[in-house]
Each structure stands twice: as structure tokens, then as C-alpha cells.
Amino acid sequence: MLIALEKNGKKISSDQAMKGKSYTCPTCHQEVILKKGKIKIPHFAHKTITTCDSYSESESAEHLSGKYLLAKNCERFGLHYELEAYIPKINQRADILVENYLVIEFQCSPLSIERLRERTRAYQLSGYEVFWVLGGTLRCTRTMTELKKHLLYFNDVDSYYHMELDVKQNQLGIRRYMTKVNNKVKQQFISYSLNEHSCFCILKREIPLISYQISCEVSISELVKQQLKWQKQLYLRQARVLKIQEFFYHHQANLLSLPVHIYFPRLTHPFIEEWEYVLRFVISQSLKKAGALSYKELFNLCLETLVDDYPFSFICLPDFQVIDYCLSLYLVYLQHIGFIRKESSTYIWQVKKSSDQKMIEKSLKMKVESLSLPLKYDMIDK
């Protein structure tokens, strides 16, 4: 811990404390001692082994240093902050509380998804905005684990992103995950010096942003490779693909032989795998059957259809944000290839059976798909 209580009850930081003086824990009020070593920055630790609800004795050097850097950054830029702020009504201690409402949690090691959900919801229900910043193994490991999916944030400018703190470089970075192209997630990393920018402005995305654009060739050969991969996974009875195939069977369809306009665009959501094809199937079939639907009606139909199978609700994202994202981009695509048109707030299906094949051929003539940040989706005919 970096904060303790003096005899008079006032808080004192470890960098201002002196050896030989008496200090106590702000939470359990047991005696703590000041430690000044060569590996970790000055910090307090309980004198005897004790159970303290909000402090851990196993904080890494990186975690202690990260909290200290963020606190000093707030101080440098004139932000009101509290280091290791204890919030009694939810019995939680935030690494940093900024401007009395923004919680920063610097997470250097894995924790259970249930514990992450519990802590995040407690903050949110108490009116706090919480940002989980990655450090340690979570920052250094590039594998997108289930835990890291739940630590994703989203906005229309950055798309999906993680926040990462590099203690050695004194930098706070944003790692954007834009889309998936032929099974590879396209990403971009932008770092900001904590000497030049406040952590508050970085986390709230209040600084000038860098635009980003990617494109990919529309390739039937890549689709064929993907279908062969699914065929193998079904043969091996892999649970994820079996569940998706089960959905299509119940709707008289097959993952391996869907209409071409559902397999495209090849730019897909970075993290929900084949479930995006389920969403596209629901959207196109609903429009085809009804003839015309509003955005809200389509959104609700997606929710109703997937209510028991919804696999992509992430803790740090608004409810059903992924459905909203996929629905928005797919409707733009269907407009580009001429399958639908928009009148006022209504989307109208305009493909007749006789022209269906021609429309599909037209969609495949669009050789390049591009997606850029801030979010703008285009199909470019070259």
C-alpha cells in the first residue's frame, strides 16, 4: 500500500513517511511498517499477518509503481485525486479516484471474470466510472483471452480498445482492435507520455486522435479455405462451431452453405467469431420476410432470436453493444450492394428471386472492402 494513517489520523503517502514512526492501515487500523528497498518503491505493509478486506500484501513492484505514476500525473496536471481511495458503501479500494467519480484500476495480473464483474458493477451502481488499465502479464501477452475480452472498451472513434500502462516508459497507451480480416485481428497501438498528457484526458479520449484505415481484397478463395476449416471443426465436433451449426439447422440453413451476402463483408467483428454470421442471417432473413423494418425492430429481433445463446456480452461494454455494432455495419454493406434501401428510418428489402443471383455477382465485383476510424465503412468498386 502507498497510503497509511499517522497517529493523528491524517493520511500520509509512503514517499513522505519516515522510518521509525508509527503508522496504521486506513482500513483495518492495524499497525503497518514502512518498507524502503531496492526493488519496490517505498510502501507500507502490515506488521503482522492479518486479514484486511481491501489491501493485499502481494502487490508487485510494477503495480505499486504504476499507482504512484498515475497519482503523480494527476498532481502534475492539477487534477483532484485520491490514491488508494476507500469506498465504504461497497467495501472496495480504488487504485486511484480522479475528480471524485472516475476510478482507475491498474490490473497487472489475471483475476476471475466473476470478480471483475462484481467489482465493476459495484463501482457503476455507486455512480463511478471505472477504467481498467492493463499492466504486467495482461499488457505483455498478446493472446486475446476471455478475461481480456471483458476488459475491452468501445467508442465510435477508437472502435474496441484496451488501455495499457508501461511503467518503465512512463506511457499510457491505447490498443485499438479494429476488425478481423481472414482470421487475423487488425490492431493499432498509440502511446502517450504521462509527462505530456494527463491520464484523465487520455482515458476520457479528450486528446487529438489518429485516424486509421485498413482494406482487404474480397476473396472467394479465402471463403473456401474458411469453409474447409469449419468442415474439419464440425468433423472433430468442436463445441463452438457445433453450437453455431445447431442454430442454423433449427432455421433450415447450414453454416457451410449460407447465401454469399452473409459471408461478406470479409471485414468482421474482431472477437465474436462465427456468431457474426448468425447475426447477419437473422438481419437479412428478417428483412426478406417482413419486407421493411426499422433499425429498432431489427435490433429487437436480434435480441429475441439470440436471447438464450448470446455469447458476446462483455463486462466493460454497454449492454448489447456488439449487436448494435454488427447491425450498423451490416446494414451499410447491404445498402452498398443494393440488397436494401433506406427510406426515412425504415430499411426496405428490394431483392427479387430472379435478380438475387445478379445482386450477388455485383457484390463480388466490389474487389476491396475498407474500414476506417473514426468508424466509417465503405465498399469500393475498383
Side-chain angles (χ1 to χ4, degrees):
M1 72 181 77
L2 298 177
I3 299 294
L5 297 179
E6 297 181 281
K7 277 188 175 181
N8 59 10
K10 289 185 177 179
K11 290 183 178 180
I12 186 170
S13 62
S14 56
D15 61 342
Q16 296 175 334
M18 296 176 64
K19 282 264 190 179
K21 286 199 171 184
S22 179
Y23 303 105
T24 57
C25 171
T27 303
C28 67
H29 300 288
Q30 297 297 311
E31 187 177 359
V32 295
I33 55 174
L34 178 64
K35 291 191 173 184
K36 290 188 176 182
K38 293 181 180 179
I39 298 176
K40 295 184 179 182
I41 65 172
H43 63 284
F44 299 103
H46 289 87
K47 189 172 182 179
T48 57
I49 297 174
T50 184
T51 301
C52 184
D53 289 339
S54 62
Y55 275 119
S56 169
E57 296 299 320
S58 58
E59 286 185 274
S60 67
E62 182 181 4
H63 188 235
L64 289 166
S65 297
K67 291 193 294 184
Y68 181 79
L69 285 176
L70 291 169
K72 288 302 176 184
N73 176 268
C74 291
E75 191 175 298
R76 182 181 295 117
F77 288 94
L79 297 166
H80 180 274
Y81 76 96
E82 186 178 351
L83 179 60
E84 298 178 340
Y86 181 61
I87 304 170
K89 62 181 177 180
I90 57 174
N91 192 30
Q92 288 188 179
R93 187 173 297 279
D95 285 341
I96 308 281
L97 178 61
V98 186
E99 299 296 337
N100 295 316
Y101 79 91
L102 188 144
V103 167
I104 304 175
E105 288 285 1
F106 182 39
Q107 192 65 33
C108 294
S109 57
L111 75 166
S112 71
I113 291 172
E114 202 48 52
R115 182 61 178 147
L116 172 66
R117 180 178 286 107
E118 180 185 298
R119 285 179 61 81
T120 302
R121 293 289 183 254
Y123 282 132
Q124 292 172 339
L125 291 172
S126 298
Y128 295 96
E129 186 175 1
V130 57
F131 286 102
W132 292 87
V133 177
L134 308 189
T137 56
L138 291 177
R139 179 180 72 86
C140 296
T141 305
R142 291 288 160 257
T143 305
M144 182 55 68
T145 63
E146 284 302 307
L147 172 61
K148 289 182 73 170
K149 287 181 183 179
H150 285 284
L151 290 164
L152 284 167
Y153 290 85
F154 175 88
N155 63 46
D156 289 339
V157 174
D158 295 295
S159 190
Y160 296 92
Y161 63 96
H162 281 137
M163 290 164 291
E164 303 177 2
L165 177 60
D166 187 330
V167 171
K168 290 182 179 179
Q169 298 297 323
N170 193 27
Q171 292 179 338
L172 184 58
I174 304 294
R175 188 172 300 279
R176 294 159 149 182
Y177 304 93
M178 194 172 176
T179 187
K180 201 170 192 177
V181 183
N182 299 328
N183 290 317
K184 292 183 180 179
V185 175
K186 296 291 183 178
Q187 56 181 278
Q188 180 194 39
F189 183 70
I190 308 167
S191 61
Y192 304 92
S193 169
L194 288 175
N195 292 324
E196 299 173 10
H197 302 278
S198 82
C199 61
F200 182 87
C201 289
I202 297 169
L203 295 173
K204 296 288 286 182
R205 312 307 290 124
E206 293 178 356
I207 56 180
L209 298 163
I210 301 169
S211 62
Y212 183 52
Q213 183 172 27
I214 65 164
S215 63
C216 77
E217 292 292 323
V218 177
S219 171
I220 285 291
S221 63
E222 287 295 334
L223 174 57
V224 172
K225 287 180 186 177
Q226 182 63 66
Q227 288 173 321
L228 290 172
K229 184 178 176 181
W230 287 331
Q231 195 171 40
K232 184 177 179 180
Q233 289 170 334
L234 288 168
Y235 176 77
L236 296 173
R237 302 192 62 77
Q238 292 189 6
R240 175 179 54 81
V241 182
L242 279 174
K243 190 172 183 180
I244 290 167
Q245 183 73 302
E246 184 182 358
F247 171 89
F248 285 120
Y249 278 156
H250 289 162
H251 292 81
Q252 291 78 54
N254 190 312
L255 175 62
L256 302 176
S257 57
L258 296 170
V260 177
H261 64 268
I262 293 175
Y263 294 126
F264 290 93
R266 295 300 292 157
L267 296 172
T268 58
H269 190 283
F271 305 118
I272 63 170
E273 307 295 340
E274 290 80 5
W275 280 99
E276 183 158 4
Y277 301 121
V278 172
L279 280 171
R280 291 176 182 180
F281 179 84
V282 173
I283 294 163
S284 58
Q285 292 299 107
S286 298
L287 275 168
K288 191 173 183 179
K289 183 178 179 181
L293 291 167
S294 68
Y295 188 94
K296 186 176 181 180
E297 288 171 328
L298 282 165
F299 184 84
N300 288 335
L301 280 167
C302 288
L303 284 184
E304 289 169 14
T305 307
L306 299 173
V307 68
D308 296 323
D309 292 303
Y310 190 67
F312 30 73
S313 178
F314 303 131
I315 292 169
C316 291
L317 298 178
D319 288 342
F320 309 119
Q321 183 279 326
V322 172
I323 285 182
D324 188 40
Y325 178 89
C326 293
L327 174 58
S328 299
L329 293 186
Y330 191 52
L331 287 174
V332 171
Y333 170 75
L334 290 177
Q335 283 181 275
H336 271 288
I337 64 174
F339 272 52
I340 63 173
R341 71 177 190 275
K342 186 180 180 184
E343 291 185 6
S344 186
S345 60
T346 303
Y347 294 90
I348 301 168
W349 187 263
Q350 56 182 18
V351 183
K352 296 178 182 177
K353 270 193 174 181
S354 58
S355 62
D356 188 75
Q357 186 59 38
K358 290 181 180 179
M359 298 292 259
I360 290 171
E361 289 172 2
K362 180 184 175 183
S363 74
L364 295 178
K365 287 178 183 177
M366 296 182 178
K367 297 296 182 184
V368 177
E369 299 173 348
S370 71
L371 184 64
S372 59
L373 294 176
L375 277 177
K376 183 180 178 183
Y377 186 82
D378 289 304
M379 297 297 299
I380 303 171
D381 189 357
K382 286 193 176 181

